[in-house]
């Protein structure tokens, strides 16, 4: 970070708070430019004080006091969340489309599965979920409530029909031919 002449920044893989405080004394020195902070507001981050304009992401130069209340540090860099994840975050693969998901992209998760936001839809009918919609993870596929219930009905029908067939096979009595040549259902001359 240009203009930085204070001690090096420690690596911290978890977000660090950025606090916006009222400057009551005017005696704090900015960790970036080393000038006294005379502004009404100052930022406190990494146990140091900063001008609002001086606490910036080392990559995109965004003002960290404006983009959120956290920052990340790594390799002696102060970074916004997006750049930290872009540079140091791990990428993964979408469980629906199998394409790579960049580390900085927003995702949806269901158990151990990770999805692009646009891929988080019913994998039977492609219904996109809204906030509050129920979804089911069945055989590692996301299903809407309707398709899940339909699948369960068919699964129950298949189970019960198989059960009924097995029950019928066990309980059906097949006639055994008699010594007189009849089928066992009456006299040989009956139809």
């Amino acid at each position: 970070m240009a203009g930085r002449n204070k001690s090096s920044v420690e690596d911290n893989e978890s977000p660090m708070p950025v606090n916006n405080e009222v400057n009551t004394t005017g005696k704090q020195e900015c960790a970036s430019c080393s000038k006294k902070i005379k502004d009404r507001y100052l930022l406190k981050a990494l146990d140091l004080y900063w001008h609002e304009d001086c606490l910036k992401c080392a990559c995109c130069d965004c003002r960290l006091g404006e983009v959120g209340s956290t920052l990340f540090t790594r390799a002696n860099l102060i970074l916004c969340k997006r750049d930290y994840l872009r540079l140091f975050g791990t990428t993964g693969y979408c469980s629906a489309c199998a394409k790579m998901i960049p580390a900085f992209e927003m995702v949806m998760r269901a158990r151990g599965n990770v999805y692009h936001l646009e891929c988080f839809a019913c994998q039977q009918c492609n219904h996109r979920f809204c906030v509050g919609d129920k979804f089911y993870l069945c055989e590692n596929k996301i299903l809407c409530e309707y398709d899940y219930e339909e699948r369960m009905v068919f699964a129950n029908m298949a189970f019960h029909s198989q059960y009924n067939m097995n029950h019928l096979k066990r309980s059906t009595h097949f006639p055994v031919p008699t010594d007189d040549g009849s089928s066992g259902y009456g006299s040989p001359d009956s139809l």
Side-chain angles (χ1 to χ4, degrees):
M1 182 173 217
R4 193 121 206 269
N5 56 13
K6 289 287 183 184
S7 61
S8 65
V9 176
E10 289 182 36
D11 283 358
N12 192 336
E13 302 220 1
S14 58
M16 300 295 295
V18 175
N19 297 316
N20 197 344
E21 297 182 2
V22 175
N23 189 359
T24 56
T25 64
K27 295 180 182 177
Q28 287 84 5
E29 186 177 292
C30 178
S32 178
C33 69
S34 300
K35 294 180 182 172
K36 293 278 185 207
I37 302 173
K38 297 177 183 172
D39 302 338
R40 180 171 182 194
Y41 294 101
L42 55 85
L43 298 175
K44 184 175 181 183
L46 306 168
D47 292 325
L48 300 169
Y49 294 99
W50 310 77
H51 288 107
E52 288 180 298
D53 290 334
C54 290
L55 185 58
K56 295 181 180 181
C57 174
C59 286
C60 68
D61 224 22
C62 71
R63 292 171 42 163
L64 294 172
E66 293 178 354
V67 296
S69 59
T70 58
L71 59 83
F72 292 80
T73 58
R74 180 107 178 244
N76 208 26
L77 297 171
I78 296 175
L79 302 164
C80 66
K81 182 177 182 177
R82 181 178 174 89
D83 284 327
Y84 174 82
L85 292 174
R86 184 177 57 79
L87 294 171
F88 303 108
T90 57
T91 57
Y93 292 91
C94 178
S95 296
C97 72
K99 292 180 182 172
M100 189 178 74
I101 301 173
F104 60 85
E105 190 172 303
M106 296 289 288
V107 296
M108 293 297 290
R109 296 179 186 275
R111 290 199 186 128
N113 298 338
V114 183
Y115 303 89
H116 292 108
L117 290 180
E118 61 273 9
C119 293
F120 194 73
C122 177
Q123 292 175 321
Q124 187 76 34
C125 69
N126 294 320
H127 168 74
R128 297 278 313 259
F129 296 109
C130 297
V131 174
D133 285 352
K134 286 185 180 179
F135 70 89
Y136 298 85
L137 194 59
C138 184
E139 296 173 6
N140 227 18
K141 293 184 187 252
I142 301 171
L143 298 174
C144 65
E145 192 168 18
Y146 176 81
D147 287 326
Y148 175 77
E149 288 175 358
E150 186 175 81
R151 185 176 280 206
M152 290 300 104
V153 166
F154 284 123
N156 281 335
M157 286 174 52
F159 173 76
H160 288 298
S161 66
Q162 183 64 36
Y163 171 79
N164 289 339
M165 290 301 289
N166 288 338
H167 180 69
L168 285 174
K169 286 178 186 173
R170 277 186 261 123
S171 65
T172 303
H173 171 67
F174 292 103
V176 178
T178 60
D179 290 337
D180 63 4
S182 71
S183 65
Y185 283 119
S187 66
D189 25 339
S190 62
L191 298 173

